[in-house]
Amino acid sequence: MLALVLERKGELSLREIDLPATVGPDDVKVAIHTVGVCGSDVHYYTHGAIGPFVVREPMVLGHEAAGTITDVGSNVKNLKVGDRVCMEPGVPNMSSRATKLGIYNVDPDVRFWATPPVHGVLTPEVVHPAAFTYKLPDNVSFAEGAMVEPFAVGLQAATRARITPGDVAVVIGCGPIGIMTGLAALAGGCSRVFISDLSEPKLQIAAQYSGLVPVNITKQSLNDTVSSATEGWGADVVFEASGSPRAYDGIFNLLRPGGALVLVGLPVEQVAFDIPGAIVKEARIETVFRYANNFDRAVNLIASGKVDLKPLITETFDFKDSIAAFDRAAKGLPQDVKLQIRLGA
Ligand code: ZN
């Protein structure tokens, strides 16, 4: 099967590779149509590792995917050949304690596409458990279907925040996950979401959405902005989505007493944490690792029209131009939110 293979750090090739193709009784086979390029895919390309996950042998990239079912196993009842679907890339051990608790995203045995040593889906066809495959309504495109995965991270963050209608939120970091977290917070009932960054082009993309209020921290203080908007009370929820250790400097000043800090961005180094600042406000601190039980909600929100992710798709590349797509993504241009690769017609 032809696939986009990360041979080793810094070296991609589009070549034939042997991939599992047997459809088990609980599986479906999917002809891949669209795959989003994720920051994690790019990081494996440029750095060869993310934390403990190290690329030691050639690995197919890609985990944000949508396509069409071409075969179903004998036990599969909820899906049929021809259904348009998106897939949840992490498959846990179905008998594990974490899975039984409903927190299958933190199952130590989870196998996640394009996380070494598991192959991803930048290839024309994949086999996947039907239980982690979700039907797309007719009004949701394949391109939107491939956005469900990153949007599910935002929904996980909004869920962990336990938003109350009318809450005021802050999102630190205006990358794809920051914007999607802001949109999920609005869908979850926030009245306003301040979103901060150093990059004006990124903020201008967020500013297209009513309810997202851009704050350029090279020009204005986030703390002053939030304080004056809330009469000095502070935000109900602060989402940290930049992964920058500097974001933690004074972060509890943004929060109202009893508010929630939700950690979404994964810092690559250790972070100094103001524990007294958290304690005096009795702040609730939540963490987010991928998502669990949010793909169907993400699809529902997109289908309802309440969340429009189409403006976040910057450019679509042909499968044959996959390497060019990754080289473009590796540049990290501020106006690029999501690049996608199209395999299907
Ligand atoms: Zn992703």
Side-chain angles (χ1 to χ4, degrees), residues 20-56:
T22 315
V23 181
D26 299 307
D27 294 335
V28 294
K29 190 181 266 190
V30 180
I32 298 289
H33 186 284
T34 300
V35 179
V37 176
C38 180
S40 70
D41 295 312
V42 176
H43 202 85
Y44 284 122
Y45 175 35
T46 55
H47 291 74
I50 296 179
F53 298 102
V54 181
V55 179
R56 299 189 197 280

Side-chain angles (χ1 to χ4, degrees), residues 47-102:
H47 291 74
I50 296 179
F53 298 102
V54 181
V55 179
R56 299 189 197 280
E57 49 200 282
M59 177 179 81
V60 179
L61 290 176
H63 63 263
E64 304 178 355
T68 305
I69 296 202
T70 57
D71 196 6
V72 296
S74 53
N75 293 343
V76 176
K77 300 278 183 281
N78 58 324
L79 295 165
K80 58 181 192 309
V81 171
D83 281 349
R84 299 164 60 259
V85 293
C86 65
M87 289 77 76
E88 193 166 350
V91 178
N93 169 355
M94 295 302 275
S95 315
S96 74
R97 290 178 76 165
T99 302
K100 287 196 283 182
L101 286 168

Side-chain angles (χ1 to χ4, degrees), residues 121-333:
V121 293
L122 270 161
T123 184
E125 210 164 55
V126 297
V127 174
H128 200 60
F132 294 90
T133 303
Y134 301 83
K135 196 165 156 34
L136 296 175
D138 291 342
N139 68 336
V140 177
S141 66
F142 288 117
E144 292 172 287
M147 295 290 272
V148 167
E149 195 273 342
F151 183 51
V153 178
L155 278 184
Q156 182 82 359
T159 306
R160 303 286 282 172
R162 290 186 240 143
I163 292 162
T164 300
D167 274 356
V168 173
V170 173
V171 176
I172 300 172
C174 196
I177 293 295
I179 293 176
M180 284 192 253
T181 297
L183 295 177
L186 289 171
C190 281
S191 55
R192 257 188 308 177
V193 177
F194 294 91
I195 184 162
S196 70
D197 207 281
L198 303 153
S199 161
E200 191 58 31
K202 289 184 183 182
L203 291 165
Q204 285 311 313
I205 291 159
Q208 297 174 76
Y209 291 98
S210 90
L212 292 187
V213 185
V215 180
N216 186 330
I217 57 170
T218 67
K219 296 183 183 144
Q220 65 187 114
S221 150
L222 178 60
N223 199 32
D224 292 353
T225 305
V226 172
S227 180
S228 66
T230 59
E231 294 162 327
W233 174 237
D236 300 286
V237 183
V238 174
F239 297 96
E240 200 312 289
S242 73
S244 165
R246 280 173 300 163
Y248 287 86
D249 192 15
I251 200 165
F252 294 105
N253 297 335
L254 299 168
L255 204 62
R256 72 159 167 87
L261 171 64
V262 183
L263 310 185
V264 190
L266 195 62
V268 292
E269 47 197 291
Q270 293 232 331
V271 172
F273 213 73
D274 177 13
I275 292 170
I279 286 178
V280 296
K281 287 190 169 168
E282 211 170 58
R284 178 163 57 85
I285 298 169
E286 299 277 356
T287 58
V288 170
F289 185 65
R290 298 171 180 157
Y291 35 72
N293 302 306
N294 271 323
F295 257 55
D296 48 353
R297 293 164 196 277
V299 171
N300 288 345
L301 279 168
I302 296 166
S304 73
K306 283 200 166 140
V307 174
D308 181 8
L309 302 176
K310 294 189 290 294
L312 304 180
I313 302 165
T314 311
E315 200 167 320
T316 305
F317 292 73
D318 268 349
F319 185 39
K320 65 174 167 41
D321 301 322
S322 294
I323 296 174
F326 271 80
D327 285 332
R328 160 85 166 265
K331 286 184 189 155
L333 303 177

